[in-house]
Amino acid sequence: MKLSTRGEYGLRAMFDLAQHYGEGPIPIKSVAERQEISEHYLEQLIAVLRKAGLAKSVRGAQGGYILARDPEEITVGDIIRVLEGPIAPVDCLNDREGECCERAETCVTRGIWEKVRDSISSVLDSFTLADMVDKASKMQQDDKHYMYYI
Amino acid sequence: MKLSTRGEYGLRAMFDLAQHYGEGPIPIKSVAERQEISEHYLEQLIAVLRKAGLAKSVRGAQGGYILARDPEEITVGDIIRVLEGPIAPVDCLNDREGECCERAETCVTRGIWEKVRDSISSVLDSFTLADMVDKASKMQQDDKHYMYYI
DNA sequence: GCTAAAGTCGACTTTTTTACTCAGCTTTAA
DNA sequence: TTAAAGCTGAGTAAAAAAGTCGACTTTAGC
């Protein structure tokens, strides 16, 4: 039950773009440096996000990437689904009803996986990039406070 | 976000033992046949479940495996955690607080993964093997009904 | 127009994990 | 005593994940 680095890196990259939203195109190189991710690898991930319509690219000098929509309009679920494929603990959830499992027995487990999937989805969809940026800035505030009183 | 076959097979095997609970030790071979899982592979999985205290073995002729506790006392979460490792979308959730991520920024995502983990856990812990056996027998009833009316 | 800073594309490699397989051993009911 | 079970550890093949490389295209700014 683990995310691959694709989802983790991709989310961090999109979060980075969200933090710089409004500043024009952000070069992938700078995102990779800040997030400590291999530039070439990140290139691949962001290409997927672009094709899925979550990010836009601006080619040429002074180019880079921008979120395709406002940070409020992009959920963590949107990003994870694109990079990790459909959220489904077992494959048969992606098949049409009745297309898998001959034995009804086996399908008892299916109901459980469905509930797991739905609960993951609903958690992931409940966070937007804007929420994350808010939280990050609050954390920085707290840090300052803390420093102040030392 | 996918389960490996370890969790899937292991759960099916334990479900099989639950269906035969009270009938004495069930040989792994028969479980493997019913569930269409490689016998040798299943041996490895059930060994892990045994060491974790979820199943008991009876060696020698007429031996086999038995659930270590009543089916009501074993949840799907117990089984999955043993076979798939701790439920944690990202590794840093298994570290102690503050041991990971230097940058507070990075840790904004951590809060999200924590909620995902907790929601998965609570779904998995809400099903016991007894629930699954009940459901399977109901499904068989329904099947008979269905057949009856054709 | 040239140049350098960007993104684009596809193929390649390495590493890790998964999913088995095998052989030989130990235990024990009948 | 024997055959049916579990136990153990090593080995392996295939797949997926993670990352690398190099050549190409686009475009702002000089």
Side-chain angles (χ1 to χ4, degrees), chain B:
Chain B
M1 279 316 253
K2 256 189 20 198
L3 221 58
S4 68
T5 58
R6 291 172 63 86
E8 198 186 334
Y9 291 176
L11 177 59
R12 270 162 51 194
M14 290 291 278
F15 168 63
D16 194 283
L17 293 184
Q19 286 192 302
H20 296 89
Y21 192 64
E23 299 175 20
I26 310 297
I28 200 70
K29 189 175 182 175
S30 68
V31 175
E33 273 165 12
R34 275 190 299 270
Q35 300 296 329
E36 296 175 65
I37 299 171
S38 146
E39 188 188 338
H40 280 289
Y41 189 40
L42 187 53
E43 233 166 43
Q44 286 179 19
L45 303 183
I46 198 118
V48 176
L49 292 164
R50 181 177 59 82
K51 281 168 196 158
L54 295 176
K56 282 189 299 193
S57 67
V58 178
R59 297 186 70 166
Q62 321 321 319
Y65 283 90
I66 319 177
L67 296 183
R69 307 194 290 269
D70 287 344
E72 293 82 29
E73 303 294 318
I74 300 177
T75 70
V76 175
D78 293 333
I79 296 163
I80 298 300
R81 266 185 293 268
V82 163
L83 291 173
E84 302 270 340
I87 295 162
V90 293
D91 278 327
C92 86
L93 291 185
N94 299 323
D95 301 338
R96 273 167 303 161
E97 192 80 26
E99 199 171 313
C100 64
C101 349
E102 300 75 44
R103 289 160 293 140
E105 275 179 319
T106 316
C107 270
V108 173
T109 56
R110 183 180 165 127
I112 298 175
W113 305 136
E114 275 170 355
K115 296 218 172 152
V116 170
R117 176 197 57 191
D118 295 345
S119 86
I120 296 174
S121 268
S122 88
V123 173
L124 293 180
D125 286 334
S126 73
F127 293 98
T128 68
L129 289 177
D131 295 332
M132 292 177 67
V133 173
D134 281 359
K135 192 172 170 203
S137 71
K138 280 206 190 98
M139 283 174 78
Q140 273 193 327
Q141 289 290 323
D142 288 352
D143 260 10
K144 275 187 198 148
H145 245 135
Y146 182 66
M147 299 292 275
Y148 189 78
Y149 281 107
I150 275 178

Side-chain angles (χ1 to χ4, degrees), chain A:
Chain A
M1 281 314 253
K2 256 192 19 201
L3 220 59
S4 67
T5 58
R6 290 172 63 86
E8 198 187 333
Y9 292 176
L11 176 59
R12 270 163 53 195
M14 290 290 276
F15 168 63
D16 195 284
L17 292 184
Q19 285 192 303
H20 296 90
Y21 192 63
E23 300 174 19
I26 310 296
I28 199 70
K29 188 174 182 176
S30 69
V31 175
E33 273 165 10
R34 273 191 299 269
Q35 301 295 329
E36 296 174 66
I37 298 170
S38 146
E39 188 188 337
H40 280 290
Y41 189 40
L42 188 53
E43 234 165 42
Q44 284 180 22
L45 303 184
I46 198 115
V48 177
L49 292 164
R50 181 178 59 82
K51 281 169 196 156
L54 295 176
K56 283 189 300 191
S57 67
V58 177
R59 299 186 69 166
Q62 322 320 321
Y65 283 89
I66 320 178
L67 296 183
R69 306 194 291 269
D70 286 343
E72 293 81 31
E73 304 294 318
I74 301 177
T75 71
V76 175
D78 293 333
I79 296 164
I80 298 300
R81 266 184 293 267
V82 163
L83 291 173
E84 302 270 339
I87 295 162
V90 294
D91 278 327
C92 84
L93 291 185
N94 299 323
D95 301 337
R96 273 166 303 163
E97 192 79 27
E99 197 170 314
C100 64
C101 347
E102 300 76 44
R103 289 160 294 140
E105 275 179 319
T106 316
C107 270
V108 174
T109 56
R110 183 180 165 128
I112 298 176
W113 305 136
E114 275 170 356
K115 296 217 173 154
V116 170
R117 177 196 57 191
D118 294 345
S119 87
I120 296 175
S121 268
S122 88
V123 173
L124 293 181
D125 286 334
S126 73
F127 292 98
T128 69
L129 289 177
D131 296 332
M132 293 177 66
V133 172
D134 281 358
K135 192 173 171 205
S137 72
K138 279 203 192 101
M139 283 174 79
Q140 274 192 325
Q141 289 289 321
D142 288 352
D143 261 10
K144 275 188 198 147
H145 245 134
Y146 181 66
M147 298 294 274
Y148 188 79
Y149 281 107
I150 276 176

